Amino acid sequence: MTVESAPTGWRGTTAGRARRVTESRTFSVVVCGLILLNAVLLGAETYFPPDAAATPLPRLETLLLAAFTAEIALRAVACADRPRAFFRDPWNVFDLTVVVLTHLPLTQGNATILRLLRLLRVARVARMMPQIRVIVTAVGKSLPGMLGFLALGVLILYVYGMVGWQILSEHDPERFGTLDRAVITLFLLATFDGIGAAVRDGLEVSPWTLAYYGSYVLFAGLMLINLLIGVVVGSMDEAREAERRRLREGGRGSGPTAGREDPDPVLREQVEVLRRALEEMESRLDRRTGRSGAEGTVPAGSPHREGAPPPGDPLPPAGPTGGVGSRVLAPGAPARR
C-alpha cells in the first residue's frame, strides 16, 4: 500500500506562508481599503478637466496598479503547490483578467477602456465582504431560473401584444398600432405604470377590454414578479448554504475558533491521507483476524458474545502500543476492537 503525501519542499513551504498572509483578516482589510481608494479616485477625476496633467491622480493610479499586481501575484504564490485551485476560484480569474488587461499596451493607450477596467476593480469589493459575496453568488445561481422566467415573459408579451393589436390598433394606435408598440406598452403596464389610463381608454372601446387588461396584470404583473422573487429567494438560500459550507471547510465556523486563521490546507490533506490509510489497515486486519478466528473452538450457540474469551481465561495484556488500533486476541476467538 502506498500513501500519497501532500507537496512538500520549498514550493509547499512558500505556498503555506503566502496562504497564511492572503487568508488573514489584515490582508483583506488592506485590499478592501485599496479598492475603495480606487473608487474615490475615479470619482475625483470627474472634477478635473481631461487634460489636467498636474494632478497627483495618475501617480496614485500607478501605485494602486502596482499594489493590485502584487496582490494577485501573492495569491498565485499561495496556490503554487496546487495551481489548479487558483483557476477554480472565479474571483481569482476575474482579478487576474482585470490586472492583465490593465497592463496591456492597447488599454494603456485608450483612456475609455482603462477607466472601465478601473471601474471593474470596484466590483472586487464583493470578494472582501461576505454579505455582498452571498448576493453575487445568488445572482449567479439564479441565472438558469431567470432564463426560464425571461422565456415565459417573452411568450406572454407576444401573445398579449398580438391580441391587443387586433382589438385596439384602430382605436389606440399610439399604444397598439404595431406589434413593437404593443409589446412596449405591455412591458410598461407590467410595472403598473399608466394602467389606469389604459383601462379607461379601453373601456371606451369595449367592456371586454377590462378582462384583457385584468388577465394580463394577473399573469405578467403578479405571477411573473412573484415567480422571479421565488427564483431569487431560492438562489439566496443556496448561496448562504454554500458560504456556510465554505467557512466550515476553511475552519472559520461560528464556534470558538471563529475569526481565526485557517489551518494549513497541506496539513489537512496529510491528516486525511493518514486517516484513510489507517482505516484501510484496520479493515485488512479485521479480515485477517476474522479468518483466523473462524478456526477457533468456541461452540455454536455459546452464551458468550462473539469475540469474547472463554470464562476463566484471563485477558492477555495489551500490546506495547496500547493506542488506537491495538487489538486484544483471545485463543480461539475472533479479534474485537
Side-chain angles (χ1 to χ4, degrees), residues 219-256:
F219 283 105
L222 298 179
M223 187 189 71
L224 283 182
I225 298 300
N226 288 308
L227 178 63
L228 178 61
I229 293 174
V231 170
V232 174
V233 169
S235 301
M236 285 290 294
D237 294 338
E238 295 180 5
R240 290 194 187 97
E241 183 61 29
E243 183 69 14
R244 295 192 193 101
R245 192 182 309 114
R246 188 188 71 86
L247 294 178
R248 286 197 301 266
E249 293 176 355
R252 295 179 182 269
S254 57

Side-chain angles (χ1 to χ4, degrees), residues 246-333:
R246 188 188 71 86
L247 294 178
R248 286 197 301 266
E249 293 176 355
R252 295 179 182 269
S254 57
T257 59
R260 299 181 184 176
E261 296 184 1
D262 295 344
D264 194 347
V266 176
L267 182 59
R268 290 201 303 270
E269 293 176 3
Q270 292 176 345
V271 172
E272 183 66 20
V273 169
L274 293 176
R275 185 185 64 80
R276 289 196 298 265
L278 180 60
E279 290 178 354
E280 184 175 354
M281 287 188 292
E282 288 179 351
S283 63
R284 291 186 179 184
L285 186 57
D286 288 340
R287 290 195 298 269
R288 183 175 303 175
T289 54
R291 287 195 298 269
S292 62
E295 302 173 357
T297 59
V298 178
S302 173
H304 306 289
R305 59 186 178 90
E306 182 181 357
D313 291 346
L315 289 176
T321 55
V324 178
S326 61
R327 299 292 188 273
V328 179
L329 301 179

Side-chain angles (χ1 to χ4, degrees), residues 145-211:
M146 285 185 178
L147 293 178
F149 165 80
L150 290 177
L152 180 60
V154 170
L155 179 62
I156 292 178
L157 285 176
Y158 180 79
V159 171
Y160 274 87
M162 290 298 299
V163 173
W165 173 77
Q166 291 180 1
I167 63 178
L168 297 172
S169 59
E170 296 181 359
H171 303 279
D172 196 355
E174 293 183 0
R175 294 191 180 98
F176 297 92
T178 58
L179 179 60
D180 58 339
R181 289 185 180 181
V183 169
I184 293 174
T185 300
L186 293 175
F187 181 79
L188 295 176
L189 292 180
T191 63
F192 303 101
D193 183 17
I195 184 66
V199 171
R200 285 193 298 269
D201 295 341
L203 289 176
E204 296 178 359
V205 178
S206 172
W208 290 103
T209 57
L210 183 61

Side-chain angles (χ1 to χ4, degrees), residues 23-107:
E23 294 178 356
S24 63
R25 183 175 181 82
T26 303
F27 182 82
S28 301
V29 171
V30 171
V31 174
C32 184
L34 293 177
I35 295 173
L36 295 179
L37 179 60
N38 175 73
V40 172
L41 292 181
L42 282 174
E45 287 182 356
T46 61
Y47 294 93
F48 294 93
D51 55 349
T55 62
L57 298 182
R59 290 188 292 273
L60 292 176
E61 165 60 23
T62 303
L63 293 176
L64 285 176
L65 179 59
F68 290 135
T69 305
E71 178 215 353
I72 197 63
L74 189 59
R75 292 187 184 277
V77 172
C79 297
D81 55 342
R82 40 176 186 166
R84 294 183 180 180
F86 178 82
F87 294 98
R88 281 197 295 263
D89 190 350
W91 288 108
N92 288 336
V93 176
F94 176 76
D95 297 346
L96 181 63
T97 303
V98 172
V99 172
V100 170
L101 290 178
T102 307
H103 283 286
L104 292 179
L106 178 63
T107 57

